Amino acid sequence: MAILKITKKHHKRFNNPFPSSVSTTIPNVQGSLFFNSKRVPSDQTFSIGTDFQLSWTSNNGGHLSISHLSQTTRPIWSTISGQAFVSAALVDTEVEESRGSFLVKDKDVHLVCDHQTIDDIRVINGQFDHELECGVADSPSVCQALEKKTDAQEIQLPSLMITGRLFNMTKKSKRFQKHGIQATMQFEAKGPSVYTRYWVLFNQKANHEVGFQVKIEKVNFIPGSQVSKKASGVYQGFKRRLGIRKKRLGWCWYLSRPRGFVLVSSVEEEIADLDIPKPQEFNRVWLTYASDENERFYGFGEQFSHMNFKGKRVPIFVQEQGIGRGDQPITLAANLVSYRAGGDWSTTYAPSPFYITSKMRSVFLEGYDYTVFDLTRLDRVQIQIHGNSVEGRILHGNSPCELIEHFTESIGRLPELPEWIISGAIVGMQGGTDAVRHILDELRTYDVPVSAFWLQDWVGQRETLIGSQLWWNWEVDAQRYWGWKELINDLSSQNIKVMTYCNPCLAPVDEKQNKRRNLFEEAKQLDILVKDSNGNPYMVPNTAFHVGMLDLTHPKTATWFKQILREMVDDGVRGWMADFGEGLPVDAVLYSGEDPISAHNRYPELWAKINRDIVEEWKSSSLDKVKEDQQDGLVFFMRAGFRDSPKWGMLFWEGDQMVSWQTNDGIKSSIVGLLSSGISGYAFNHSDIGGYCTVNLPIVKYRRSEELLLRWMELNSFTPVFRTHEGNKPSCNIQFYSNQQTMSHFARSAKVYKAWEFYRIQLVKEAAQKGLPVCRHLFLHYHNDEHVHHLSYQQFLVGCEFLVVPVLDKGKKKVKAYFPLGESSSWLHIWTGKVFSKQGSEEWVEAPIGYPAVFVKVGSLVGETFLNNLRSLGIL
């Protein structure tokens, strides 16, 4: 039986500073494709719904391709000639876990079925023949899988079903042809002689979308008493019957046991040695299909180090992004102190099993299983799924923007943001009521357009071994924020909102003197905390203390926590950070009973849904008031997410970047995260101005400098939200309120941000309607320009009207701007008025502090309005 081993490393000290990255004991699975030439024609085209077709040819060993009827010569998905496109295995798994960081590793490999037969390709029409009889009803798991898809509205017919077998073997005779067994031959097994049956179902989901399902049956062992038999003729050993019958709960198909085609091996002893009970479910599935050598891959959720993933293995698992992520020396130091705390290029809070390529191909997976996209071989994509089935969709579109629109139509889109959150600066600070009023007076002096104060320490602070930390007990600390409601009302009278902080964890607060409620104890009594294997609340380590984590699968949890949020909103709070969501332990016991590894990826979506529910419920109950004041809507922002998070979220932020200029976890990574997440449906995203993670060790120091803060202000003045953060060690960092220079620059950058509010509102509406991000990689609009594919953090578009080339290196006062091919308009430098007309050219542009390199299109109404607003605000 396959083993799942969970290794806890929370309290391990003096760790390997260079831990292993994502690896596998099965780096690449590659098998041959065989087909039954009696049942499968040599060349044929099959309909998938009304808008797609699948083409099959037996040339070069067999090949499948799917295309849209509008462009039948451009395949959107195709297999590799003569090679298996479905494979399966039974593999032991180990998960290493340490304080929100995870590494999933393949261990011992028991079985691999890497060769594939196609026994039948069949169109399932809208009217099923009731006289079709099933074979022997020996495939209950397949029935169950198909029962989920019985609704005629979900299976849009005609659909296409491919059936056959997966098996392991080594070729013993060279006399064979892949397009059907035409000569005497026999095979030997690699280990136990096994086979399994599979089915692949393609069905049209929309006029631009094909759905696919892959189901792998349990392991079948061929008795060792059968000695080598010879198969002659055309797949004589693959006698089979395919039947489809309509049951009350589903459509089921069956395959009879194959005969005559034998894998030669003495199996019983091997099975006994492996201690694998019969039947056993496979726990790995691979999908392998073709890619072009020069094809670029974008997306995969919020990624911080790369835009193009060709040549990489991309794991899809929600977790802490890490401290440094490969930048040195901080990654080494973080790993040394806490196991894998440094992370690497692939670690992210918000991955997504989705991509778009430079060839206008796009695929995404449904479900929540741990997955690895292997793009290391130039001619193929190979997806490894930890499970025994796969569901996903293949998208058709003619441009990146079209594909994003189709993708977000399927998964859901972010709603329009309330205008107040995008109308001015969000001032992130701490310190209590007196500190807020003092900073407000300073902001007035500098005429800063302020939308809100974000007060994460509203719950109070305590001293721990690592410094001041929040009390994770979601109610106002009446001592720190005395006159809480009065403060909110005073700010509201000046059109300034108050925002707070919460997360799905609760800390014991027995030692807190002025608490009104003890939420940890309440949740414990309600039995709504995630449990450990002993049935006790799972106490999850977090920095210097342990916390209980809400079981979001429990039906009581949402009602209870929404009541907490509603009390906060009733006090006048209009927004909050909904932090965390990425750390569900993989050995947790949930109320739902579901696999915690799959639930781990789903947890941030459940967390988003609770927050979104309170927003919608409040909107419904306050409908008349909202109509009177469009500025009064609620909003929350999150860092953790998965594929469907845009459906449930409202706004995202990029988590905890270092206060540095570095590539993998500093200011540069914030741009990569912004652009990659935008491609993946996260239309509204932003970073903490100045970064967050500060390190003040005797040997390793990362402190926010004034120059870094000023340049980050310039950068974020062209992102959807303009929000400051003091960082995890405020006293070590330069702040926007530190001196006259920082306050003046903060006011200037906030006014630049204010000047394009009109366009930001347009882009927010467009995002809600089409899913297109506010900030865009140039690939979205200039995908035919080869140079664009080499850009990552260097520059980006705001909508399609602004080109922003930020300064991202210490001491630099000029940047190299690239003006893409395919743009009919010239670009106007907003500070000098210089026009750049040559397409496909690079130009050095002066960019002293206060004058970031920003360009608008010549003759654009949006550009002219922006420039006029800058003049009105005294900036230009």
Side-chain angles (χ1 to χ4, degrees), residues 324-620:
R325 304 182 68 258
D327 293 335
Q328 300 299 355
I330 182 58
T331 305
L332 184 151
N335 285 335
L336 191 65
V337 173
S338 182
Y339 186 76
R340 300 193 64 82
D344 59 40
W345 68 264
S346 69
T347 49
T348 172
Y349 306 106
S352 179
F354 160 79
Y355 66 76
I356 293 174
T357 82
S358 56
K359 301 296 183 181
M360 299 306 107
R361 300 181 182 123
S362 183
V363 170
F364 72 91
L365 299 186
E366 301 174 273
Y368 297 90
D369 291 331
Y370 175 73
T371 302
V372 178
F373 286 78
D374 190 338
L375 308 174
T376 56
R377 297 186 64 176
L378 296 179
D379 67 338
R380 70 193 60 203
V381 176
Q382 186 164 90
I383 310 175
Q384 180 189 148
I385 301 96
H386 282 224
N388 65 356
S389 63
V390 190
E391 291 190 47
R393 304 196 183 187
I394 303 164
L395 304 179
H396 169 261
N398 295 310
S399 70
C401 288
E402 265 190 41
L403 289 168
I404 292 171
E405 186 173 352
H406 297 335
F407 173 59
T408 56
E409 184 180 348
S410 292
I411 65 162
R413 295 172 180 146
L414 296 169
E416 285 188 39
L417 292 170
E419 289 185 10
W420 65 263
I421 190 75
I422 56 172
S423 66
I426 310 298
V427 179
M429 61 166 293
Q430 302 175 85
T433 298
D434 293 337
V436 171
R437 292 188 182 278
H438 171 71
I439 292 297
L440 178 61
D441 289 340
E442 285 202 48
L443 291 168
R444 284 185 187 137
T445 300
Y446 285 84
D447 193 28
V448 179
V450 176
S451 288
F453 275 84
W454 172 55
L455 309 172
Q456 70 167 6
D457 66 335
W458 73 295
V459 293
Q461 288 185 329
R462 56 172 163 167
E463 294 301 316
T464 70
L465 292 174
I466 65 170
S468 296
Q469 294 187 277
L470 302 180
W471 284 106
W472 289 12
N473 189 59
W474 314 122
E475 62 176 14
V476 66
D477 186 301
Q479 182 177 344
R480 189 175 188 84
Y481 282 94
W482 59 269
W484 176 243
K485 292 183 180 180
E486 183 182 356
L487 174 64
I488 292 173
N489 289 334
D490 287 350
L491 292 171
S492 180
S493 67
Q494 302 171 63
N495 294 318
I496 298 173
K497 310 299 181 188
V498 170
M499 304 179 72
T500 58
Y501 172 97
C502 69
N503 68 55
C505 301
L506 301 166
V509 291
D510 296 334
E511 299 175 3
K512 191 174 192 295
Q513 299 300 315
N514 62 338
K515 62 181 176 292
R516 182 171 59 87
R517 298 172 64 180
N518 187 330
L519 298 180
F520 173 82
E521 288 298 327
E522 288 184 30
K524 186 177 177 181
Q525 291 298 317
L526 287 169
D527 201 30
I528 58 174
L529 295 175
V530 169
K531 291 183 171 60
D532 61 23
S533 58
N534 296 318
N536 300 315
Y538 200 127
M539 299 307 293
V540 181
N542 184 282
T543 60
F545 54 93
H546 288 65
V547 296
M549 197 169 189
L550 290 172
D551 185 345
L552 303 185
T553 72
H554 197 293
K556 293 181 181 178
T557 303
T559 301
W560 180 77
F561 197 80
K562 284 190 291 184
Q563 174 261 330
I564 294 169
L565 293 175
R566 185 60 192 247
E567 287 186 12
M568 181 179 73
V569 170
D570 287 343
D571 284 345
V573 170
R574 289 298 173 261
W576 58 94
M577 174 188 281
D579 201 2
F580 289 94
E582 66 276 351
L584 179 69
V586 293
D587 60 345
V589 178
L590 300 171
Y591 176 88
S592 64
E594 63 192 277
D595 173 18
I597 295 182
S598 294
H600 175 91
N601 279 339
R602 193 165 74 97
Y603 193 92
E605 294 182 3
L606 296 175
W607 173 225
K609 187 176 185 303
I610 286 178
N611 288 272
R612 181 67 177 277
D613 283 349
I614 192 65
V615 170
E616 299 302 325
E617 290 169 12
W618 184 84
K619 184 188 296 184
S620 297

Side-chain angles (χ1 to χ4, degrees), residues 705-729:
S705 68
E706 183 170 309
E707 183 185 3
L708 178 68
L709 177 63
L710 301 186
R711 289 303 195 184
W712 216 313
M713 288 178 184
E714 293 172 0
L715 166 64
N716 279 23
S717 64
F718 289 95
T719 63
V721 172
F722 185 74
R723 179 183 56 81
T724 67
H725 198 311
E726 293 179 323
N728 62 316
K729 295 181 181 296

Side-chain angles (χ1 to χ4, degrees), residues 664-709:
N664 293 295
D665 197 18
I667 187 171
K668 297 179 182 70
S669 72
S670 74
I671 299 177
V672 178
L674 176 71
L675 302 182
S676 61
S677 63
I679 291 173
S680 304
Y682 293 59
F684 312 138
N685 205 347
H686 70 293
S687 62
D688 300 326
I689 292 175
Y692 169 83
C693 195
T694 310
V695 178
N696 194 36
L697 298 174
I699 300 177
V700 181
K701 294 185 184 294
Y702 282 76
R703 298 176 176 180
R704 183 193 292 159
S705 68
E706 183 170 309
E707 183 185 3
L708 178 68
L709 177 63

Side-chain angles (χ1 to χ4, degrees), residues 196-226:
T196 184
R197 294 169 290 185
Y198 76 89
W199 57 259
V200 179
L201 180 70
F202 293 105
N203 60 308
Q204 181 173 338
K205 297 289 186 178
N207 59 12
H208 50 260
E209 190 174 280
V210 171
F212 63 88
Q213 302 171 59
V214 179
K215 176 64 183 176
I216 309 296
E217 273 289 75
K218 294 180 180 179
V219 177
N220 289 284
F221 296 95
I222 297 177
S225 59
Q226 295 188 29

Side-chain angles (χ1 to χ4, degrees), residues 245-388:
R245 69 179 179 188
K246 189 172 184 180
K247 301 183 71 176
R248 185 165 61 104
L249 293 176
W251 301 99
C252 299
W253 65 271
Y254 302 99
L255 291 171
S256 62
R257 187 182 186 88
R259 301 180 183 88
F261 187 78
V262 178
L263 305 179
V264 182
S265 177
S266 177
V267 188
E268 284 86 349
E269 292 180 3
E270 296 171 18
I271 296 171
D273 290 341
L274 289 171
D275 191 28
I276 301 175
K278 300 186 292 183
Q280 174 70 32
E281 293 278 3
F282 284 95
N283 65 354
R284 296 288 191 280
V285 177
W286 285 266
L287 296 182
T288 306
Y289 50 94
S291 171
D292 292 348
E293 182 174 341
N294 62 347
E295 192 167 13
R296 277 75 172 211
F297 286 74
Y298 298 91
F300 296 111
E302 183 181 62
Q303 299 287 337
F304 295 102
S305 293
H306 303 284
M307 288 301 303
N308 172 26
F309 290 90
K310 186 74 167 185
K312 303 189 181 304
R313 298 183 75 251
V314 188
I316 306 297
F317 201 67
V318 175
Q319 60 178 307
E320 284 275 359
Q321 71 156 16
I323 303 171
R325 304 182 68 258
D327 293 335
Q328 300 299 355
I330 182 58
T331 305
L332 184 151
N335 285 335
L336 191 65
V337 173
S338 182
Y339 186 76
R340 300 193 64 82
D344 59 40
W345 68 264
S346 69
T347 49
T348 172
Y349 306 106
S352 179
F354 160 79
Y355 66 76
I356 293 174
T357 82
S358 56
K359 301 296 183 181
M360 299 306 107
R361 300 181 182 123
S362 183
V363 170
F364 72 91
L365 299 186
E366 301 174 273
Y368 297 90
D369 291 331
Y370 175 73
T371 302
V372 178
F373 286 78
D374 190 338
L375 308 174
T376 56
R377 297 186 64 176
L378 296 179
D379 67 338
R380 70 193 60 203
V381 176
Q382 186 164 90
I383 310 175
Q384 180 189 148
I385 301 96
H386 282 224
N388 65 356

Side-chain angles (χ1 to χ4, degrees), residues 825-867:
S825 299
S826 300
W827 294 95
L828 173 73
H829 185 233
I830 65 171
W831 307 114
T832 64
K834 183 177 179 180
V835 174
F836 297 85
S837 301
K838 187 178 179 181
Q839 295 184 22
S841 66
E842 291 181 309
E843 299 284 350
W844 284 100
V845 179
E846 295 292 331
I849 287 177
Y851 299 89
V854 179
F855 307 86
V856 297
K857 291 180 179 179
V858 172
S860 160
L861 179 60
V862 168
E864 287 298 324
T865 305
F866 176 49
L867 295 175

